[in-house]
Amino acid sequence: MKKSLIALAVVAALPGVALAQSSVTISGNIKTGISRFSTDSATGVGKIKDTAMSDGSSRIILSGTEDLGGGMAAIFQVDNRFNGNDGTSAGGYSTSSPVQGLLAGGNTFVGVKGGFGEVRFGNLDTHYGKGQDEFAARATSLGASSTSLMDYIGASPIAVTSRTKNVIRYTTPVMSGFSAQLDYSTAPFQIEGGTTYQTSSTLTTINPGKGQASHAELNYKQGPVSAGVSIWDAKVETANNGAVLAATAKSGEQSTKLYGSYDLGVAKIGAQYDDSKLQFGTAADQKRKASHIAVTAPVGAGAVLFQYTKANSISGKTNSGATMVSVGYDYSLSKRTSVGVNYSKINNEAAANYQFFTGAALQHAPATSAGTDTSMLYAGIRHAF
Protein backbone atom coordinates (compact mmCIF):
# COMPACT_ATOMS: atom_id res chain seq x y z
CA MET A 1 0.00 0.00 0.00
CA LYS A 2 2.84 2.35 0.93
CA LYS A 3 4.60 1.66 -2.39
CA SER A 4 1.40 2.40 -4.33
CA LEU A 5 0.96 5.75 -2.58
CA ILE A 6 4.59 6.66 -3.33
CA ALA A 7 4.10 5.75 -7.00
CA LEU A 8 0.96 7.91 -7.23
CA ALA A 9 2.80 10.81 -5.64
CA VAL A 10 5.63 10.51 -8.18
CA VAL A 11 3.20 10.45 -11.11
CA ALA A 12 1.33 13.48 -9.75
CA ALA A 13 4.60 15.38 -9.49
CA LEU A 14 5.50 14.85 -13.16
CA PRO A 15 5.14 17.85 -15.53
CA GLY A 16 1.70 18.23 -17.12
CA VAL A 17 3.15 17.65 -20.59
CA ALA A 18 4.13 14.11 -19.61
CA LEU A 19 0.52 13.31 -18.79
CA ALA A 20 -1.04 14.86 -21.92
CA GLN A 21 -3.03 12.52 -24.13
CA SER A 22 -4.02 12.86 -27.78
CA SER A 23 -7.72 12.70 -28.64
CA VAL A 24 -8.10 10.61 -31.81
CA THR A 25 -11.10 10.69 -34.14
CA ILE A 26 -12.01 8.23 -36.90
CA SER A 27 -13.96 9.75 -39.78
CA GLY A 28 -14.33 9.53 -43.54
CA ASN A 29 -16.79 8.55 -46.23
CA ILE A 30 -17.63 5.75 -48.63
CA LYS A 31 -18.97 6.90 -51.99
CA THR A 32 -19.65 4.54 -54.87
CA GLY A 33 -21.99 4.37 -57.83
CA ILE A 34 -22.58 3.08 -61.31
CA SER A 35 -21.80 5.04 -64.48
CA ARG A 36 -22.89 4.69 -68.08
CA PHE A 37 -20.26 6.22 -70.36
CA SER A 38 -20.64 7.13 -74.02
CA THR A 39 -17.94 8.55 -76.30
CA ASP A 40 -18.15 9.68 -79.91
CA SER A 41 -16.28 11.90 -82.39
CA ALA A 42 -17.64 14.04 -85.19
CA THR A 43 -16.62 11.32 -87.68
CA GLY A 44 -18.08 8.50 -85.60
CA VAL A 45 -14.60 7.06 -84.96
CA GLY A 46 -13.94 6.03 -81.36
CA LYS A 47 -17.57 5.40 -80.48
CA ILE A 48 -17.75 3.55 -77.15
CA LYS A 49 -20.51 2.69 -74.70
CA ASP A 50 -19.56 1.20 -71.37
CA THR A 51 -21.03 0.60 -67.92
CA ALA A 52 -18.70 0.68 -64.92
CA MET A 53 -18.68 0.92 -61.16
CA SER A 54 -17.09 4.17 -59.97
CA ASP A 55 -15.57 5.37 -56.72
CA GLY A 56 -15.94 8.92 -55.44
CA SER A 57 -12.71 9.21 -53.45
CA SER A 58 -13.69 7.06 -50.45
CA ARG A 59 -11.47 7.46 -47.40
CA ILE A 60 -10.77 6.56 -43.77
CA ILE A 61 -9.26 9.40 -41.72
CA LEU A 62 -7.48 9.23 -38.37
CA SER A 63 -7.05 12.70 -36.87
CA GLY A 64 -6.22 14.06 -33.47
CA THR A 65 -5.02 16.86 -31.23
CA GLU A 66 -2.95 17.16 -28.09
CA ASP A 67 -3.19 20.16 -25.77
CA LEU A 68 0.30 21.60 -25.34
CA GLY A 69 -0.77 24.35 -22.96
CA GLY A 70 -0.59 28.10 -23.45
CA GLY A 71 -3.27 27.96 -26.15
CA MET A 72 -1.17 25.65 -28.38
CA ALA A 73 -2.03 22.17 -29.61
CA ALA A 74 -0.33 19.47 -31.65
CA ILE A 75 -2.38 18.21 -34.60
CA PHE A 76 -2.14 15.27 -36.99
CA GLN A 77 -4.10 13.48 -39.70
CA VAL A 78 -3.65 10.19 -41.58
CA ASP A 79 -5.90 10.07 -44.68
CA ASN A 80 -6.17 6.64 -46.30
CA ARG A 81 -7.90 6.59 -49.71
CA PHE A 82 -9.50 3.43 -51.09
CA ASN A 83 -11.80 2.32 -53.89
CA GLY A 84 -15.14 1.38 -52.38
CA ASN A 85 -16.26 -0.58 -55.46
CA ASP A 86 -13.43 -3.13 -55.47
CA GLY A 87 -11.70 -2.80 -52.09
CA THR A 88 -8.30 -1.78 -53.43
CA SER A 89 -6.25 1.12 -52.12
CA ALA A 90 -6.19 4.26 -54.22
CA GLY A 91 -2.94 3.93 -56.16
CA GLY A 92 0.20 5.96 -55.68
CA TYR A 93 3.69 5.86 -57.12
CA SER A 94 7.02 4.72 -55.74
CA THR A 95 10.42 5.93 -56.94
CA SER A 96 10.60 3.11 -59.46
CA SER A 97 7.15 2.05 -60.66
CA PRO A 98 3.42 2.54 -60.08
CA VAL A 99 2.23 0.72 -56.96
CA GLN A 100 -0.99 0.34 -55.04
CA GLY A 101 -1.40 0.12 -51.31
CA LEU A 102 -0.24 3.48 -49.98
CA LEU A 103 -1.30 3.83 -46.35
CA ALA A 104 -1.75 7.60 -46.43
CA GLY A 105 -2.26 8.79 -50.00
CA GLY A 106 -4.71 11.52 -48.98
CA ASN A 107 -4.19 14.70 -46.94
CA THR A 108 -1.73 13.53 -44.28
CA PHE A 109 0.18 15.84 -41.94
CA VAL A 110 1.54 16.67 -38.50
CA GLY A 111 1.78 20.18 -37.07
CA VAL A 112 0.88 22.69 -34.39
CA LYS A 113 -1.78 25.39 -34.01
CA GLY A 114 -2.42 28.30 -31.69
CA GLY A 115 -3.16 32.01 -31.63
CA PHE A 116 -0.47 32.51 -34.29
CA GLY A 117 -2.33 30.30 -36.77
CA GLU A 118 -1.44 26.81 -37.91
CA VAL A 119 1.66 25.06 -39.29
CA ARG A 120 1.48 21.72 -41.11
CA PHE A 121 4.10 19.40 -42.60
CA GLY A 122 2.96 16.69 -45.02
CA ASN A 123 1.17 15.62 -48.19
CA LEU A 124 -1.52 18.26 -48.87
CA ASP A 125 -4.02 19.55 -51.43
CA THR A 126 -2.81 22.86 -52.86
CA HIS A 127 -4.28 25.16 -55.52
CA TYR A 128 -6.36 22.68 -57.53
CA GLY A 129 -10.07 21.98 -56.97
CA LYS A 130 -11.25 25.55 -56.32
CA GLY A 131 -14.40 25.08 -58.40
CA GLN A 132 -17.60 26.31 -56.78
CA ASP A 133 -19.77 23.34 -57.79
CA GLU A 134 -20.54 20.67 -55.16
CA PHE A 135 -20.55 17.50 -57.27
CA ALA A 136 -17.42 16.14 -55.57
CA ALA A 137 -18.66 16.76 -52.01
CA ARG A 138 -22.08 15.14 -52.48
CA ALA A 139 -23.38 11.73 -53.61
CA THR A 140 -23.05 12.83 -57.25
CA SER A 141 -20.03 11.79 -59.33
CA LEU A 142 -16.57 13.17 -58.62
CA GLY A 143 -15.97 13.06 -62.36
CA ALA A 144 -18.80 15.56 -62.90
CA SER A 145 -16.90 18.35 -61.12
CA SER A 146 -15.45 21.37 -62.93
CA THR A 147 -11.95 20.13 -62.00
CA SER A 148 -12.13 18.07 -65.22
CA LEU A 149 -11.40 21.22 -67.24
CA MET A 150 -10.37 23.93 -64.77
CA ASP A 151 -7.26 22.14 -63.51
CA TYR A 152 -5.81 20.86 -66.78
CA ILE A 153 -4.20 22.29 -69.88
CA GLY A 154 -5.24 19.64 -72.36
CA ALA A 155 -4.09 16.36 -70.82
CA SER A 156 -1.53 18.04 -68.53
CA PRO A 157 -2.55 18.57 -64.88
CA ILE A 158 -1.93 21.75 -62.89
CA ALA A 159 -0.64 21.27 -59.34
CA VAL A 160 -0.83 17.50 -59.86
CA THR A 161 -4.67 17.69 -59.50
CA SER A 162 -3.99 15.80 -56.29
CA ARG A 163 -1.95 16.18 -53.14
CA THR A 164 1.36 18.02 -53.40
CA LYS A 165 4.17 16.10 -51.75
CA ASN A 166 6.66 17.44 -49.17
CA VAL A 167 4.68 20.54 -48.18
CA ILE A 168 5.33 23.07 -45.42
CA ARG A 169 2.16 25.10 -44.80
CA TYR A 170 1.33 28.16 -42.71
CA THR A 171 -2.29 29.32 -42.31
CA THR A 172 -3.12 32.60 -40.59
CA PRO A 173 -5.91 33.06 -38.04
CA VAL A 174 -9.20 34.37 -39.45
CA MET A 175 -9.38 38.16 -39.10
CA SER A 176 -12.58 40.00 -40.08
CA GLY A 177 -13.43 37.16 -42.45
CA PHE A 178 -9.98 37.08 -44.10
CA SER A 179 -7.44 34.27 -43.91
CA ALA A 180 -4.26 33.52 -45.83
CA GLN A 181 -2.32 30.36 -46.61
CA LEU A 182 1.31 29.95 -47.69
CA ASP A 183 2.77 26.67 -48.96
CA TYR A 184 6.25 25.60 -49.99
CA SER A 185 7.23 22.18 -51.32
CA THR A 186 10.81 20.97 -51.55
CA ALA A 187 9.82 18.32 -54.12
CA PRO A 188 6.19 18.65 -55.32
CA PHE A 189 6.16 15.86 -57.90
CA GLN A 190 8.22 13.10 -56.33
CA ILE A 191 9.17 11.15 -53.25
CA GLU A 192 11.92 13.16 -51.55
CA GLY A 193 15.41 12.02 -52.55
CA GLY A 194 14.15 9.73 -55.30
CA THR A 195 15.53 9.47 -58.81
CA THR A 196 12.19 9.51 -60.65
CA TYR A 197 9.06 11.60 -60.47
CA GLN A 198 5.45 11.13 -61.50
CA THR A 199 3.71 13.10 -64.24
CA SER A 200 0.33 11.60 -65.07
CA SER A 201 1.24 7.96 -65.78
CA THR A 202 4.89 8.42 -66.78
CA LEU A 203 7.88 7.95 -64.51
CA THR A 204 10.92 10.02 -65.51
CA THR A 205 14.53 10.01 -64.31
CA ILE A 206 15.41 13.35 -62.69
CA ASN A 207 17.79 15.29 -60.50
CA PRO A 208 16.01 15.10 -57.12
CA GLY A 209 17.31 18.45 -55.89
CA LYS A 210 15.97 20.71 -58.62
CA GLY A 211 12.22 20.84 -58.12
CA GLN A 212 10.18 23.09 -55.84
CA ALA A 213 6.79 24.77 -55.67
CA SER A 214 5.27 27.76 -53.89
CA HIS A 215 1.63 28.59 -53.34
CA ALA A 216 -0.19 31.58 -51.83
CA GLU A 217 -3.89 31.86 -51.14
CA LEU A 218 -6.11 34.62 -49.73
CA ASN A 219 -9.70 33.85 -48.76
CA TYR A 220 -12.66 35.83 -47.45
CA LYS A 221 -15.86 34.45 -45.96
CA GLN A 222 -18.46 36.56 -44.21
CA GLY A 223 -22.16 35.75 -44.20
CA PRO A 224 -23.38 34.74 -47.67
CA VAL A 225 -20.18 35.92 -49.41
CA SER A 226 -17.17 33.72 -50.09
CA ALA A 227 -14.22 34.69 -52.32
CA GLY A 228 -10.56 33.95 -52.86
CA VAL A 229 -7.46 34.06 -55.00
CA SER A 230 -4.89 31.27 -55.35
CA ILE A 231 -1.44 31.52 -57.01
CA TRP A 232 0.76 28.53 -57.86
CA ASP A 233 4.35 28.42 -59.16
CA ALA A 234 6.29 25.19 -59.63
CA LYS A 235 9.59 24.10 -61.14
CA VAL A 236 9.80 20.53 -62.37
CA GLU A 237 12.80 18.39 -61.45
CA THR A 238 15.44 18.39 -64.21
CA ALA A 239 17.57 15.64 -65.72
CA ASN A 240 20.66 14.51 -63.86
CA ASN A 241 22.97 16.52 -66.11
CA GLY A 242 21.08 19.69 -65.18
CA ALA A 243 19.48 20.04 -68.59
CA VAL A 244 15.76 19.98 -69.18
CA LEU A 245 14.57 16.43 -69.84
CA ALA A 246 13.63 17.10 -73.46
CA ALA A 247 12.66 20.00 -75.69
CA THR A 248 8.98 19.28 -75.12
CA ALA A 249 9.18 18.07 -71.49
CA LYS A 250 7.40 20.21 -68.91
CA SER A 251 9.79 22.31 -66.83
CA GLY A 252 7.43 24.55 -64.88
CA GLU A 253 3.86 25.59 -64.05
CA GLN A 254 2.28 28.94 -63.22
CA SER A 255 -1.40 29.38 -62.41
CA THR A 256 -3.74 31.99 -60.94
CA LYS A 257 -7.30 31.29 -59.86
CA LEU A 258 -10.05 33.73 -58.83
CA TYR A 259 -13.17 32.24 -57.27
CA GLY A 260 -16.20 33.19 -55.24
CA SER A 261 -19.83 32.50 -54.41
CA TYR A 262 -22.91 34.22 -53.02
CA ASP A 263 -25.65 32.39 -51.13
CA LEU A 264 -29.06 33.89 -51.97
CA GLY A 265 -30.89 31.41 -49.75
CA VAL A 266 -32.95 30.02 -52.61
CA ALA A 267 -29.68 29.16 -54.41
CA LYS A 268 -25.92 29.56 -54.11
CA ILE A 269 -24.22 30.95 -57.21
CA GLY A 270 -20.47 30.55 -57.72
CA ALA A 271 -17.85 31.28 -60.35
CA GLN A 272 -14.17 30.71 -61.04
CA TYR A 273 -11.63 32.11 -63.50
CA ASP A 274 -8.33 30.36 -64.20
CA ASP A 275 -5.23 31.58 -66.08
CA SER A 276 -2.56 28.87 -66.31
CA LYS A 277 0.70 28.28 -68.15
CA LEU A 278 3.03 25.33 -68.71
CA GLN A 279 6.71 25.92 -69.43
CA PHE A 280 8.87 23.54 -71.46
CA GLY A 281 12.54 22.96 -72.25
CA THR A 282 12.97 24.79 -75.54
CA ALA A 283 9.39 24.53 -76.78
CA ALA A 284 6.96 27.45 -76.54
CA ASP A 285 4.92 27.93 -73.38
CA GLN A 286 1.37 26.60 -73.38
CA LYS A 287 -1.15 29.11 -72.01
CA ARG A 288 -4.83 28.48 -71.36
CA LYS A 289 -7.69 30.45 -69.77
CA ALA A 290 -10.80 28.78 -68.37
CA SER A 291 -13.98 29.86 -66.58
CA HIS A 292 -16.74 28.20 -64.64
CA ILE A 293 -20.15 28.96 -63.16
CA ALA A 294 -22.09 26.84 -60.68
CA VAL A 295 -25.52 26.85 -59.08
CA THR A 296 -26.64 24.84 -56.04
CA ALA A 297 -30.34 25.13 -55.19
CA PRO A 298 -31.96 23.38 -52.20
CA VAL A 299 -35.09 21.48 -53.18
CA GLY A 300 -36.93 19.53 -50.49
CA ALA A 301 -34.55 17.21 -48.66
CA GLY A 302 -31.96 17.54 -51.40
CA ALA A 303 -30.35 19.97 -53.81
CA VAL A 304 -30.21 20.54 -57.56
CA LEU A 305 -26.65 20.99 -58.86
CA PHE A 306 -25.52 22.63 -62.09
CA GLN A 307 -22.16 23.64 -63.50
CA TYR A 308 -20.92 24.95 -66.84
CA THR A 309 -17.19 25.09 -67.58
CA LYS A 310 -15.30 26.38 -70.60
CA ALA A 311 -11.60 25.87 -71.37
CA ASN A 312 -10.30 28.16 -74.10
CA SER A 313 -7.90 26.91 -76.76
CA ILE A 314 -4.26 26.48 -75.75
CA SER A 315 -1.92 29.12 -77.17
CA GLY A 316 -0.41 27.99 -80.46
CA LYS A 317 -2.85 25.09 -80.74
CA THR A 318 -6.07 25.86 -82.60
CA ASN A 319 -9.31 24.00 -81.86
CA SER A 320 -7.97 22.79 -78.51
CA GLY A 321 -10.76 24.10 -76.26
CA ALA A 322 -13.64 22.28 -74.61
CA THR A 323 -16.88 22.82 -72.70
CA MET A 324 -18.46 20.75 -69.95
CA VAL A 325 -21.98 20.70 -68.52
CA SER A 326 -23.13 18.75 -65.46
CA VAL A 327 -26.58 18.66 -63.91
CA GLY A 328 -27.53 16.52 -60.93
CA TYR A 329 -29.64 15.99 -57.84
CA ASP A 330 -28.45 14.99 -54.37
CA TYR A 331 -31.07 13.67 -51.91
CA SER A 332 -30.41 13.30 -48.17
CA LEU A 333 -31.70 10.13 -46.57
CA SER A 334 -30.22 11.26 -43.22
CA LYS A 335 -27.57 13.63 -41.89
CA ARG A 336 -24.87 11.17 -43.02
CA THR A 337 -26.32 9.28 -45.98
CA SER A 338 -27.41 10.62 -49.36
CA VAL A 339 -28.05 9.38 -52.88
CA GLY A 340 -27.31 11.25 -56.07
CA VAL A 341 -27.77 11.18 -59.84
CA ASN A 342 -26.18 13.31 -62.53
CA TYR A 343 -25.63 13.66 -66.25
CA SER A 344 -22.40 15.21 -67.53
CA LYS A 345 -20.99 15.85 -70.99
CA ILE A 346 -17.63 17.13 -72.27
CA ASN A 347 -17.54 18.53 -75.80
CA ASN A 348 -13.97 18.51 -77.11
CA GLU A 349 -12.88 20.54 -80.11
CA ALA A 350 -10.90 18.71 -82.82
CA ALA A 351 -7.52 19.00 -81.06
CA ALA A 352 -8.76 18.74 -77.45
CA ASN A 353 -8.74 15.66 -75.22
CA TYR A 354 -10.33 16.68 -71.90
CA GLN A 355 -11.78 13.81 -69.87
CA PHE A 356 -13.69 13.32 -66.64
CA PHE A 357 -11.68 14.02 -63.48
CA THR A 358 -10.18 10.79 -62.07
CA GLY A 359 -11.73 9.08 -65.10
CA ALA A 360 -9.01 6.44 -65.34
CA ALA A 361 -8.10 6.18 -61.66
CA LEU A 362 -11.54 6.02 -60.00
CA GLN A 363 -14.32 6.29 -62.57
CA HIS A 364 -13.12 3.48 -64.89
CA ALA A 365 -14.11 5.69 -67.83
CA PRO A 366 -13.01 4.56 -71.30
CA ALA A 367 -10.01 6.34 -72.82
CA THR A 368 -10.76 8.83 -75.57
CA SER A 369 -8.76 10.39 -78.40
CA ALA A 370 -8.51 14.04 -79.47
CA GLY A 371 -11.77 15.50 -80.74
CA THR A 372 -13.89 12.89 -79.01
CA ASP A 373 -16.89 13.96 -76.95
CA THR A 374 -17.69 11.99 -73.82
CA SER A 375 -20.77 11.79 -71.58
CA MET A 376 -21.68 10.09 -68.30
CA LEU A 377 -24.92 9.13 -66.59
CA TYR A 378 -24.29 8.32 -62.91
CA ALA A 379 -26.25 7.10 -59.89
CA GLY A 380 -24.58 6.62 -56.52
CA ILE A 381 -24.71 6.66 -52.73
CA ARG A 382 -22.51 8.35 -50.13
CA HIS A 383 -22.22 7.66 -46.41
CA ALA A 384 -20.10 9.84 -44.14
CA PHE A 385 -18.93 8.61 -40.73
Side-chain angles (χ1 to χ4, degrees):
M1 181 67 176
K2 185 176 180 180
K3 289 182 178 179
S4 298
L5 291 174
I6 293 173
L8 287 172
V10 170
V11 170
L14 291 174
V17 67
L19 299 176
Q21 296 292 321
S22 296
S23 60
V24 180
T25 301
I26 300 176
S27 62
N29 71 76
I30 300 177
K31 176 179 172 179
T32 59
I34 187 165
S35 300
R36 178 65 172 172
F37 295 103
S38 178
T39 65
D40 199 3
S41 65
T43 61
V45 177
K47 189 171 184 177
I48 299 172
K49 291 187 181 297
D50 186 37
T51 301
M53 290 292 291
S54 301
D55 180 72
S57 194
S58 301
R59 65 200 68 180
I60 299 173
I61 298 174
L62 298 177
S63 58
T65 63
E66 179 191 18
D67 187 358
L68 301 177
M72 288 184 59
I75 55 175
F76 77 89
Q77 178 171 290
V78 179
D79 182 352
N80 181 32
R81 303 294 172 91
F82 65 94
N83 298 319
N85 59 298
D86 59 20
T88 59
S89 295
Y93 294 88
S94 70
T95 57
S96 58
S97 62
V99 295
Q100 286 193 332
L102 290 182
L103 173 64
N107 285 281
T108 299
F109 60 85
V110 64
V112 293
K113 66 178 181 179
F116 57 87
E118 185 175 287
V119 177
R120 295 182 179 184
F121 300 85
N123 188 42
L124 299 165
D125 286 332
T126 50
H127 189 65
Y128 92 104
K130 303 297 182 183
Q132 300 300 291
D133 62 280
E134 299 183 11
F135 284 91
R138 293 178 177 266
T140 43
S141 174
L142 176 63
S145 71
S146 59
T147 300
S148 302
L149 270 61
M150 295 300 296
D151 295 284
Y152 289 83
I153 297 181
S156 297
I158 298 295
V160 207
T161 56
S162 186
R163 266 64 58 199
T164 300
K165 303 178 187 299
N166 309 302
V167 172
I168 304 167
R169 170 173 294 173
Y170 169 65
T171 306
T172 68
V174 178
M175 296 171 284
S176 300
F178 287 96
S179 64
Q181 178 182 302
L182 298 173
D183 294 307
Y184 178 77
S185 172
T186 56
F189 305 109
Q190 67 163 56
I191 296 174
E192 194 78 85
T195 57
T196 59
Y197 78 97
Q198 176 66 28
T199 58
S200 186
S201 59
T202 304
L203 291 158
T204 311
T205 301
I206 52 85
N207 181 338
K210 297 297 184 180
Q212 69 274 334
S214 57
H215 170 246
E217 189 173 305
L218 178 65
N219 292 293
Y220 174 80
K221 184 171 179 55
Q222 198 79 280
V225 178
S226 177
V229 56
S230 180
I231 301 172
W232 166 266
D233 185 278
K235 300 299 180 186
V236 176
E237 290 81 355
T238 58
N240 289 325
N241 62 5
V244 174
L245 294 169
T248 57
K250 184 169 65 174
S251 61
E253 302 175 352
Q254 288 81 46
S255 180
T256 300
K257 294 180 183 294
L258 301 172
Y259 47 90
S261 66
Y262 190 89
D263 194 339
L264 298 168
V266 294
K268 183 173 75 172
I269 301 173
Q272 182 190 169
Y273 172 79
D274 179 279
D275 189 349
S276 296
K277 177 176 71 174
L278 301 179
Q279 294 176 310
F280 296 87
T282 57
D285 295 346
Q286 289 187 3
K287 302 176 183 179
R288 188 274 292 125
K289 293 179 173 63
S291 55
H292 156 76
I293 59 171
V295 178
T296 302
V299 177
V304 173
L305 312 175
F306 170 82
Q307 66 92 356
Y308 173 81
T309 306
K310 178 177 176 59
N312 294 348
S313 285
I314 301 167
S315 59
K317 189 176 181 181
T318 58
N319 298 320
S320 57
T323 59
M324 178 180 181
V325 176
S326 292
V327 60
Y329 182 68
D330 176 79
Y331 181 81
S332 297
L333 300 174
S334 70
K335 289 183 65 175
R336 295 181 176 273
T337 305
S338 60
V339 291
V341 294
N342 67 263
Y343 175 78
S344 306
K345 185 171 184 180
I346 297 176
N347 291 312
N348 282 303
E349 294 180 354
N353 189 24
Y354 288 94
Q355 302 187 40
F356 294 119
F357 180 51
T358 66
L362 301 179
Q363 312 298 312
H364 305 290
T368 60
S369 57
T372 301
D373 298 334
T374 181
S375 63
M376 168 181 57
L377 180 62
Y378 173 89
I381 184 170
R382 179 181 185 270
H383 176 77
F385 56 89

